[in-house]
Amino acid sequence: MIRCLVVDDEPLALDILEDYISKVPFLTLVKTTTSAIEGLSLVQSDAIDLVFLDVQMPELTGIQFLKIINGKCDVILTTAYSQYALDGYELDVVDYLLKPIAFDRFYKAAQKVLQNHGNGNAAPPEQAPASSSHDFIFVKTEHKIQKIYLDDILYIEGLKDYISIFTKTERIITLQNMKKMEESLPAKSFIRVHKSYIIAVGKIESIERSRIQIGDKIIPIGDTYREYFFKQIEDKNIG
């Protein structure tokens, strides 16, 4: 078992990662904490194999935390800001997860740690536990943070400074960019087909030339994304 610590000053982020860790059979949670100082103490006591570490925290930044522990355990950075990725990799982190974190992406990062511990054959690296109906993301809306199950998403539309997530029952608007959202979704289930659209592959009803139909919505396929999209569809074609 890989002993895990989660350090993040956002209680919601702690809850999400605690839930994800509970779904992975080779991970065990030792503690979650909002205090970087408490996290350092646990790492220095040799009780921790892996830290899920936020970058922006009030007592110490994640980068300062990394420099202090100096490779004492594995670290996966978790943050909403991609500009810290280079600093993290220069300090030899195992992986870098951008929030909102999808379970599929979390599991791949955990697999890297498993392989580092010499147990790479314990589970196939491309197979996550069969819990897709429970996979979800959290997004910030105007008045709250909302949980969205991935199975409910039909497509996502990018607008100027925000995106709209269309589910089976509602439209959810959040301040987010398309690139970050695309990176947070499992690539096997969601495909960017246009600069303004990400679609759920399993919700496609028909494809006609350069148009995709999902429910009553007709979504264009952009020239930049056409080749990759049709290659993915061809791989699923049994006709």
Side-chain angles (χ1 to χ4, degrees):
M1 296 293 287
I2 296 171
R3 299 167 297 174
C4 300
L5 167 69
V6 183
V7 183
D8 198 307
D9 62 340
E10 296 181 9
L12 176 61
L14 297 180
D15 290 344
I16 293 170
L17 290 171
E18 181 175 355
D19 178 68
Y20 284 1
I21 289 168
S22 72
K23 293 178 180 178
V24 180
F26 54 83
L27 299 181
T28 183
L29 180 64
V30 175
K31 190 174 180 62
T32 65
T33 179
T34 58
S35 169
I37 302 301
E38 182 181 14
L40 280 176
S41 177
L42 284 165
V43 169
Q44 290 166 347
S45 71
D46 289 324
I48 304 299
D49 301 311
L50 168 64
V51 180
F52 291 94
L53 179 65
D54 188 23
V55 174
Q56 289 194 320
M57 293 180 292
E59 296 170 316
L60 286 171
T61 69
I63 303 303
Q64 290 170 329
F65 189 106
L66 278 168
K67 291 177 179 177
I68 292 170
I69 66 172
N70 194 28
K72 194 170 179 63
C73 65
D74 288 326
V75 174
I76 294 174
L77 289 180
T78 62
T79 181
Y81 303 97
S82 60
Q83 65 263 34
Y84 296 106
L86 180 59
D87 289 336
Y89 283 120
E90 286 178 348
L91 291 166
D92 201 27
V93 301
V94 175
D95 208 339
Y96 186 97
L97 300 178
L98 279 174
K99 299 175 182 177
I101 301 167
F103 178 74
D104 176 85
R105 183 67 183 85
F106 172 90
Y107 188 79
K108 288 180 180 178
Q111 275 283 344
K112 292 181 183 180
V113 179
L114 184 66
Q115 291 167 351
N116 286 350
H117 283 250
N119 297 308
N121 296 323
E126 295 299 324
Q127 295 181 359
S131 60
S132 61
S133 63
H134 300 293
D135 290 350
F136 54 84
I137 57 173
F138 283 96
V139 299
K140 293 181 180 179
T141 61
E142 186 176 359
H143 301 295
K144 61 185 177 180
I145 296 174
Q146 184 161 345
K147 181 179 185 179
I148 305 174
Y149 286 97
L150 299 185
D151 282 351
D152 289 341
I153 298 174
L154 301 176
Y155 62 92
I156 297 165
E157 182 178 4
L159 299 167
K160 191 170 184 180
D161 298 316
Y162 60 92
I163 63 173
S164 292
I165 302 171
F166 291 84
T167 74
K168 298 172 183 177
T169 59
E170 61 183 325
R171 175 192 182 191
I172 301 157
I173 298 173
T174 178
L175 286 171
Q176 183 65 271
N177 64 62
M178 288 289 279
K179 178 175 172 54
K180 189 179 294 184
M181 178 57 67
E182 182 182 9
E183 290 172 348
S184 73
L185 296 168
K188 290 183 178 180
S189 303
F190 293 88
I191 298 179
R192 182 92 173 259
V193 297
H194 187 276
K195 67 178 182 179
S196 300
Y197 290 99
I198 298 169
I199 57 107
V201 179
K203 303 302 191 298
I204 295 174
E205 295 180 13
S206 64
I207 305 166
E208 183 178 355
R209 297 182 181 176
S210 295
R211 300 186 302 172
I212 299 164
Q213 182 170 353
I214 297 179
D216 296 330
K217 179 71 174 180
I218 301 298
I219 296 171
I221 302 171
D223 292 340
T224 304
Y225 305 90
R226 184 190 311 276
E227 182 177 353
Y228 177 77
F229 171 73
F230 280 106
K231 176 64 171 61
Q232 299 305 304
I233 295 302
E234 183 180 335
D235 289 345
K236 298 178 184 296
N237 186 4
I238 61 172

